[in-house]
Amino acid sequence: MKKQSKYELRKISKNLDYFFNLATNEEITEGKEWYKLANQFCIDTAIDYNTTPLIVASVVSALSPRNKWQQNLKDTIKVFKAIEDGKSPEDIKVCTFHKNKFKAFELAKGKIYISEESPKTFNFVRNIAHLDPTSLTIDIWHIRASLKQFKSIGNAQIGKLAYNQIKALTIKKAQKLGLKGFEYQAILWLSAQNNINKLK
């Protein structure tokens, strides 16, 4: 996805309205709580393993590909426990790719950091580490909601310009509803998953 025109952004705005209006009361409640619960996990784990919420969030992010959320959190604790016990990546199993497991160890040790060169990950980490209202996670489901199309992950690349445009638009729409950007995004994430089949 390249830089969006004003017309395309208006269309995206209407598409986000479409999925938000389909959200049930339960999805709205869950969406508003999701990042708060993730943030509390990062704070608690940081205290338990003498690190920072940002580093915990970075490990969560590294372990997230093809990993279910609750398992992701278990794997994050497993990584910090392994480091505490002097173990290496080869000594434990996690439910994601090997390269991500190795990256998680490096992140947990503070040897590498997630930069703005990876916008989605950078924003996600700040959302769950600090509940940063200026950050917004644009994942595959947000792209699908924005386009009102079921795009495969391989066909849903988003450039930095488009990322920043959709991020700014989404945060602005959230604020008009009295929501944080990440709360609005989480609600859309739930609604899009439950309603995307209506578009097929």
Side-chain angles (χ1 to χ4, degrees), residues 9 116 119 123 138 158-170:
L9 288 172
E116 289 184 83
N123 281 269
I138 301 178
I158 182 169
K160 287 183 187 176
L161 280 175
Y163 193 105
N164 288 331
Q165 286 178 302
I166 295 172
K167 172 181 169 179
L169 170 70
T170 306

Side-chain angles (χ1 to χ4, degrees), residues 21-160:
N21 288 331
L22 287 175
T24 64
N25 289 334
E26 289 78 12
E27 287 165 350
I28 290 170
T29 300
E30 187 180 340
K32 287 172 74 173
E33 289 297 310
W34 196 90
Y35 279 98
K36 291 175 187 172
L37 293 172
N39 173 249
Q40 194 59 54
F41 170 83
C42 291
I43 292 169
D44 292 345
T45 306
I47 292 168
D48 289 344
Y49 293 96
N50 193 29
T51 186
T52 67
L54 188 69
I55 287 178
V56 175
S58 299
V59 172
V60 169
S61 180
L63 297 171
S64 68
R66 306 294 187 277
N67 202 350
K68 290 183 179 176
W69 179 244
Q70 290 304 321
Q71 187 59 47
N72 190 344
L73 302 185
K74 289 177 186 175
D75 288 346
T76 296
I77 291 170
K78 196 182 282 189
V79 166
F80 283 104
K81 182 78 169 65
I83 291 169
E84 186 178 71
D85 294 342
K87 293 179 179 176
S88 67
E90 295 90 341
D91 296 324
I92 66 165
K93 285 184 179 180
V94 295
C95 296
T96 189
F97 306 110
H98 286 310
K99 66 173 186 175
N100 290 75
K101 178 172 66 170
F102 278 77
K103 182 180 179 182
F105 268 73
E106 294 297 291
L107 287 162
K109 292 176 181 178
K111 291 184 177 179
I112 60 171
Y113 301 91
I114 292 169
S115 76
E116 289 184 83
E117 292 302 306
S118 305
K120 185 189 85 171
T121 312
F122 183 82
N123 281 269
F124 177 69
V125 164
R126 272 146 189 78
N127 279 152
I128 66 171
H130 305 306
L131 296 178
D132 179 1
T134 67
S135 295
L136 189 90
T137 306
I138 301 178
D139 68 350
I140 183 62
W141 286 103
H142 201 74
I143 292 170
R144 288 168 179 163
S146 296
L147 299 176
K148 210 173 169 186
Q149 287 178 2
F150 190 90
K151 287 270 188 181
S152 67
I153 292 176
N155 292 326
Q157 300 306 313
I158 182 169
K160 287 183 187 176

